[in-house]
Amino acid sequence: MICLGIEGTAHSIGVGVVKDVKGKCKVLSNLIKTYKPEKGGIHPREAANHHGLHIAALIRDSVQQAAVNISAVDLVSFSQGPGLGPCLRTVATAARALSLSLEKPLIGVNHCVAHLEIGRGTIHECTDPVLLYVSGANTQVIAFAEGKYRVFGETLDVGIGNCLDKFGRTLGLEFPCGPRIEQLSERGTLYLPLPYSIKGMDIAFSGLLTSAEEYVRKGHPVEDVCYSLQETSFAMLTEVTERAMAHTEKQEVLLGGGVASNQRLRIMVETMATARGASFFVPRKELCVDNGAMIAWLGLVMYASGVRMSLDESVINQRFRTDMVEVTWRD
Ligand code: AMP
Ligand code: MG
């Protein structure tokens, strides 16, 4: 079975084509275009306009790159939520139009669950992980328990990526700021104390962000502040992930989201996993960031398990929670 998936929850629009090979995911193509605001954060309407501008060409190019005929596409899936309303609506409209014109079924999928399933689908040994999902807008620790994907811990304010981007903006860095902060932090030598805020299993970043900005204003070297910001925020993420692993007794940890590119975060989570005797996995970069292939794969898995969706049911949901998904494809 071949599925074409469209992702467009926030700043990027992606189209991917995947194929099911003996229950595992073969990515045939996976194209992404990213909207970069000229200044400030993401403006939802402008991001949606960007997506609308590129979507038709991306669909055409991804089918071409997959080397399949468009008529060979068996299913169309799209990111139904969570995300920015205008972006979700643009993508859902394109997906509905494509499904109707190809006369192929349509499935809307949960973006966060797609980040987890693409790990299970593409990494052979990854079967039942705790996912640390770290992106711009989202920060969640997710695992399968008692028939559902449940959120064991999450941010109470901004996502870790947004926290890094906001901090980077005060330094005058270009969006997305995470990679540059990572480079700067490698030259940091002094750890500056920052608030370590875990509440129950949840995390808050805004106090940390304010304190980091304060250090910069007081003239501390930017490299030290970046280093301290990463050490503190990543330690918080690693702690919550470890506690979720201990609670669920799972032996695998998976990273997902754009911040999963960060080497320091990888090392911290991998060190924790190794100390527990658990396995550590990160999908390759283009499958970690928001991408169409993961949406295509989850659509395919859902369809194969019997899920069907009418046009009426394909309405977007900006606040589509991970634990709202009925998981029909796992025991
Ligand atoms: P996503 O929302 O999943 O597409 O991820 C985008 C976020 O990932 C942005 O906030 C980036 O700043 C962040 N990001 C990308 N690369 C890195 C990196 N190497 N270190 C930290 N954050 C990163
Ligand atoms: Mg994402």
Side-chain angles (χ1 to χ4, degrees), residues 9 111 115 133 135 138 257 289-290 294:
T9 50
H111 174 94
H115 273 291
Y133 169 36
S135 73
N138 297 296
V289 298
D290 292 351
M294 71 177 190

Side-chain angles (χ1 to χ4, degrees), residues 33-103:
K33 279 234 182 281
T34 302
Y35 155 75
K36 285 194 185 183
E38 282 181 14
K39 73 179 204 332
I42 302 170
H43 188 296
R45 188 69 254 167
E46 283 173 19
N49 289 344
H50 165 271
H51 298 353
L53 205 64
H54 292 289
I55 201 159
L58 278 176
I59 291 171
R60 190 188 57 223
D61 294 349
S62 67
V63 170
Q64 197 173 48
Q65 206 178 86
V68 294
N69 195 297
I70 186 98
S71 61
V73 170
D74 301 299
L75 174 70
V76 175
S77 68
F78 69 99
S79 51
Q80 198 168 13
L84 303 171
C87 300
L88 292 172
R89 275 189 286 277
T90 300
V91 164
T93 306
R96 287 184 201 115
L98 185 65
S99 151
L100 286 171
S101 68
L102 296 176
E103 298 182 0

